[in-house]
């Protein structure tokens, strides 16, 4: 008997056991040839990487083989489904469309492109748009991968083993949920930054940004900048929480400022050991400037004030206590994994 292809199993699983009754997305049906090509390359590249994952990492839990695919739904979300036969990672077309729109806005933002230190031609803007979407999707997939290999589904007990990244209501979460999300963010950031800067993938990015003739140090700075913006774009896909109106400890996700800061700590940890000059380049002021410009480009006119309110909270006594407890919870979680 021939084995059932993973994409068929994924489609049947979606239709039979999830709210996605239209199943998987057939990429051949997409109107945009550019999007069809990009998503095909991302899927092929990441499924190959997932197939050849290092099975000898001590902190990884036993899991079924991975398969990444796209979900035919306008809902903006991403999921990790831990099954007996496959570990599925599913990205909805709604999320991809949302991130694509965000990346267009980012590539058109003068506050964003000012960090590239060069004349911004239409071709450079188009290249930046494609790179940001590519990086954002790689981060999402790595985040979902971590949910499975770090055993987050088991830690949640009776809760669903599907992790909803965007469409969850802002109520009904737990502090434990927030800790697991930060754990996934940090692990994904470390893996992705190393793959983007430290491998041959950098060649395509620096070429698209017309920086192939620039010094390696400059290229590294540009790639770290793109990584930071792309990760922020994923976090900012969620509506900013009005922290003062909700109990922050009952949210399913930490506020964006906390998530981005924690992800960047892990990314800079990789840089410290592999590109130490980048730890000097990415100053606190530069990081805050990039993050605020990203928030304004994605969230609109109120983006800067929403970001500033989160910064103000984290600098308050209640915010500092929250950050302290979050850090302790993450370290305790890692120690018991």
């Amino acid at each position: 008997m021939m084995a059932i292809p993973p994409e068929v199993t994924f489609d049947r699983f979606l239709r039979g056991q999830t709210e996605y009754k239209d199943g998987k997305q057939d990429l051949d049906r997409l109107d945009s040839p550019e999007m069809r090509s990009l998503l095909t390359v991302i899927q092929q590249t990441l499924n190959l990487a997932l197939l050849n994952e290092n099975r000898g990492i001590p902190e990884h839990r036993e899991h079924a083989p991975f398969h990444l695919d796209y979900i035919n739904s306008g809902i903006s979300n991403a999921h990790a489904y831990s099954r007996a036969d496959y570990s599925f990672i599913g990205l909805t077309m709604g999320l991809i469309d949302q991130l694509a729109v965000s990346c267009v806005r980012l590539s058109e933002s003068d506050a964003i492109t000012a960090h590239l230190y060069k004349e911004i031609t239409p071709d450079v803007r188009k290249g930046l748009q494609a790179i940001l979407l590519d990086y954002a999707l790689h981060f999402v997939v790595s985040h979902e991968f971590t949910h499975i290999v770090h055993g987050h589904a088991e830690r949640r007990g009776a809760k669903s083993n599907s992790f909803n990244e965007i469409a969850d209501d802002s109520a009904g979460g737990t502090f434990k949920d927030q800790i697991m999300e930060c754990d996934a963010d940090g692990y994904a950031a470390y893996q992705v930054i190393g793959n983007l800067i430290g491998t041959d993938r950098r060649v395509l990015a620096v070429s698209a940004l017309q920086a192939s003739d620039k010094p390696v140090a400059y290229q590294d700075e540009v790639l770290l900048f793109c990584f930071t913006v792309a990760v922020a774009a994923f976090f900012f896909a969620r509506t900013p929480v009005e922290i003062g109106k909700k109990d922050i400890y009952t949210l399913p996700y930490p506020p964006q400022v906390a998530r981005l800061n924690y992800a960047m700590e892990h990314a800079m940890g990789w840089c410290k050991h592999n590109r130490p000059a980048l730890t000097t380049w990415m100053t606190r002021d530069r990081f805050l400037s990039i993050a605020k410009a990203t928030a304004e480009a994605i969230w609109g006119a109120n983006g800067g004030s929403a970001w500033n309110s989160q910064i103000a909270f984290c600098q308050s006594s209640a915010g500092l206590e929250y950050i302290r407890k979050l850090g302790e919870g993450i370290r305790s979680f890692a120690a018991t994994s």
Side-chain angles (χ1 to χ4, degrees), residues 129-148:
Q129 175 188 338
I131 290 166
L132 292 178
L133 181 58
D134 180 38
Y135 284 16
L137 293 178
H138 274 70
F139 180 81
V140 177
V141 172
S142 294
H143 177 101
E144 300 305 307
F145 168 84
T146 306
H147 276 319
I148 292 175

Side-chain angles (χ1 to χ4, degrees), residues 311-330:
I311 294 289
F313 168 76
C314 289
Q315 293 175 340
S316 69
S317 58
L320 291 172
E321 177 66 6
Y322 167 77
I323 295 298
R324 183 188 67 79
K325 289 182 177 179
L326 186 63
E328 287 182 352
I330 294 168

Side-chain angles (χ1 to χ4, degrees), residues 237-307:
R238 296 184 67 87
T239 303
V241 175
E242 297 183 62
I243 297 174
K245 295 185 178 181
K246 296 182 181 293
D247 179 356
I248 194 168
Y249 293 93
T250 64
L251 299 175
Y253 295 86
Q256 283 88 350
V257 63
R259 292 186 72 182
L260 185 56
N261 184 67
Y262 188 72
M264 288 304 296
E265 285 182 3
H266 281 256
M268 298 312 293
W270 182 90
C271 292
K272 180 180 179 180
H273 294 289
N274 299 278
R275 296 290 194 280
L278 288 177
T279 62
T280 302
W281 179 80
M282 183 58 82
T283 63
R284 180 179 183 274
D285 287 345
R286 177 172 278 121
F287 166 70
L288 292 176
S289 174
I290 293 171
K292 184 177 181 180
T294 304
E296 291 174 340
I298 294 175
W299 285 341
N302 295 324
S305 61
W307 176 255

Side-chain angles (χ1 to χ4, degrees), residues 4-24 67 69 71 79-90 160-163:
I4 301 175
E7 60 270 21
V8 175
T9 302
F10 181 66
D11 185 68
R12 292 175 179 174
F13 166 71
L14 290 176
R15 294 175 187 272
Q17 300 184 48
T18 75
E19 68 272 34
Y20 300 115
K21 302 308 179 185
D22 290 331
K24 71 180 293 294
H67 177 69
D69 221 316
I71 300 173
H79 298 275
Y81 300 107
S82 183
R83 314 299 299 170
D85 44 1
Y86 287 104
S87 299
F88 289 127
I89 296 173
S160 168
N161 65 358
S162 166
F163 293 84

Side-chain angles (χ1 to χ4, degrees), residues 43-289:
Q43 183 181 29
Q44 292 175 345
T45 301
L46 290 180
N47 270 330
L48 180 60
L50 291 168
L51 179 66
N52 295 311
E53 65 169 309
N54 184 354
R55 288 278 186 167
I57 299 177
E59 63 266 30
H60 284 194
R61 302 292 182 89
E62 286 295 322
H63 56 273
F66 276 96
H67 177 69
L68 163 68
D69 221 316
Y70 305 108
I71 300 173
N72 183 12
S73 171
I75 297 172
S76 179
N77 222 339
H79 298 275
Y81 300 107
S82 183
R83 314 299 299 170
D85 44 1
Y86 287 104
S87 299
F88 289 127
I89 296 173
L91 309 182
T92 68
M93 294 308 298
L95 173 62
I96 292 167
D97 290 342
Q98 183 182 10
L99 290 176
V101 169
S102 293
C103 291
V104 170
R105 292 176 180 169
L106 290 164
S107 68
E108 293 175 348
S109 165
D110 291 338
I112 289 292
T113 55
H115 289 275
L116 293 178
Y117 305 123
K118 64 176 298 176
E119 180 183 358
I120 307 301
T121 66
D123 285 343
V124 170
R125 289 190 189 275
K126 186 175 181 180
L128 178 61
Q129 175 188 338
I131 290 166
L132 292 178
L133 181 58
D134 180 38
Y135 284 16
L137 293 178
H138 274 70
F139 180 81
V140 177
V141 172
S142 294
H143 177 101
E144 300 305 307
F145 168 84
T146 306
H147 276 319
I148 292 175
V149 300
H150 280 191
H152 293 169
E154 301 167 28
R155 299 292 191 102
R156 297 174 103 202
K159 294 184 70 173
S160 168
N161 65 358
S162 166
F163 293 84
N164 305 315
E165 301 301 339
I166 307 297
D168 275 348
D169 188 270
S170 60
T174 68
F175 196 51
K176 182 179 178 181
D177 291 331
Q178 296 185 34
I179 288 169
M180 288 189 289
E181 291 301 330
C182 280
D183 180 62
D185 291 339
Y187 197 68
Y190 191 93
Q191 301 300 319
V192 172
I193 192 66
N195 188 41
L196 300 180
I197 294 182
T199 70
D200 290 342
R201 290 199 72 242
R202 64 181 289 129
V203 175
L204 295 176
V206 298
S207 175
L209 293 172
Q210 298 181 2
S212 300
D213 59 339
K214 302 295 183 182
V216 171
Y218 170 85
Q219 295 177 359
D220 286 347
E221 292 168 2
V222 168
L223 295 176
L224 177 58
F225 160 74
C226 290
F227 166 84
T228 305
V229 174
V231 172
F234 169 56
F235 293 157
F236 295 164
R238 296 184 67 87
T239 303
V241 175
E242 297 183 62
I243 297 174
K245 295 185 178 181
K246 296 182 181 293
D247 179 356
I248 194 168
Y249 293 93
T250 64
L251 299 175
Y253 295 86
Q256 283 88 350
V257 63
R259 292 186 72 182
L260 185 56
N261 184 67
Y262 188 72
M264 288 304 296
E265 285 182 3
H266 281 256
M268 298 312 293
W270 182 90
C271 292
K272 180 180 179 180
H273 294 289
N274 299 278
R275 296 290 194 280
L278 288 177
T279 62
T280 302
W281 179 80
M282 183 58 82
T283 63
R284 180 179 183 274
D285 287 345
R286 177 172 278 121
F287 166 70
L288 292 176
S289 174

